[in-house]
């Protein structure tokens, strides 16, 4: 099944996977303490504004995870002391779903040591939920949050697990764990 991009968010753990049929030449890189999705060196040139963005970024005592430019304002609001729910809701409402050919939803989550929130803004809804277990939301097919089983609880293992998940067209993955420390990792299928 093709679900597009997806996030899995739970207390102390978060992950994101790029799945793409249209722009598979992307990778995750670590940059200035955050994880960024961008084109690979051999990617064809494009003016598509939705293929390069920060996907994991710390903000205050939390980490924001998501599929686009909404990650930056979410993290910035967390730095300003916004509660996670409000940081997600205000940022997603302001940016809305992507105005591409598919009306692609924006998905995001906020991970704290002992709390987590998952969110999606679609053409027809804005959903922000507190979650107490790993929860998935995707841009297509799985666009309502639902519980999701994870085997991994370390960032590097989680990134590989999400990349290897049975959903189709894996491109790259990123993950974070939040506890005494924040650990970020990525997996580009290599």
């Amino acid at each position: 099944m093709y679900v597009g991009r997806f996030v899995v968010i739970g207390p102390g753990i978060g992950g994101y996977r790029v799945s793409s049929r249209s722009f598979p030449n992307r990778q995750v890189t670590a940059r200035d303490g955050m994880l960024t999705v961008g084109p690979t060196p051999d990617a064809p040139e494009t003016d598509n504004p939705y293929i390069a963005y920060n996907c994991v970024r710390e903000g205050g005592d939390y980490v924001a995870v998501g599929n686009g430019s909404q990650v930056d304002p979410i993290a910035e609001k967390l730095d300003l002391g916004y509660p996670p729910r409000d940081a997600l809701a205000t940022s997603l409402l302001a940016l809305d779903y992507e105005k591409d050919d598919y009306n692609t939803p924006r998905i995001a989550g906020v991970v704290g040591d002992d709390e987590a929130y998952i969110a999606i803004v679609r053409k027809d809804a804005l959903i922000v939920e507190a979650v107490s277990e790993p929860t998935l939301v995707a841009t297509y097919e799985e666009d309502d949050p639902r519980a999701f089983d994870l085997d991994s609880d370390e960032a590097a293992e989680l990134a590989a697990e999400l990349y290897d998940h049975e959903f189709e067209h894996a491109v790259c993955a990123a993950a974070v764990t939040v506890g005494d420390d924040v650990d970020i990792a990525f997996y580009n299928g290599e």
Side-chain angles (χ1 to χ4, degrees):
M1 175 189 322
Y2 181 67
V3 300
R5 273 77 51 222
F6 66 89
V7 295
V8 177
I9 303 294
I13 194 165
Y16 170 61
R17 187 178 97 176
V18 176
S19 307
S20 180
R21 297 180 287 212
S22 304
F23 296 100
N25 297 12
R26 288 186 277 174
Q27 63 188 358
V28 177
T29 56
R31 185 175 63 85
D32 299 327
M34 64 188 94
L35 298 179
T36 302
V37 173
T40 59
D42 61 339
E45 296 240 357
T46 181
D47 60 356
N48 185 316
Y50 301 120
I51 65 166
Y53 48 88
N54 294 322
C55 64
V56 174
R57 180 175 166 183
E58 285 187 67
D61 294 330
Y62 301 94
V63 177
V65 179
N67 74 322
S69 60
Q70 71 272 16
V71 170
D72 291 330
I74 293 167
E76 290 162 6
K77 288 182 182 346
L78 293 166
D79 274 336
L80 292 171
Y82 278 58
R85 178 184 152 279
D86 296 352
L88 283 163
T90 57
S91 298
L92 289 175
L93 187 60
L95 289 168
D96 210 2
Y97 61 92
E98 295 178 1
K99 305 303 191 280
D100 60 7
D101 293 340
Y102 308 102
N103 295 323
T104 302
R106 289 182 191 269
I107 54 176
V110 170
V111 179
D113 181 23
D114 59 358
E115 65 180 321
Y117 295 80
I118 197 164
I120 182 170
V121 62
R122 307 184 306 238
K123 187 174 183 179
D124 65 339
L126 169 64
I127 300 168
V128 181
E129 294 181 2
V131 296
S132 59
E133 63 183 332
T135 302
L136 171 126
V137 70
T139 55
Y140 310 117
E141 302 297 325
E142 297 276 353
D143 64 355
D144 281 311
R146 69 165 175 89
F148 187 80
D149 290 330
L150 291 175
D151 294 327
S152 307
D153 60 2
E154 294 182 17
E157 293 172 2
L158 178 59
E161 179 181 346
L162 293 178
Y163 181 90
D164 290 335
H165 193 275
E166 66 186 16
F167 293 142
E168 296 174 352
H169 301 287
V171 173
C172 52
V176 60
T177 55
V178 178
D180 292 336
D181 295 312
V182 172
D183 186 28
I184 59 173
F186 60 90
Y187 187 74
N188 291 320
E190 300 167 357

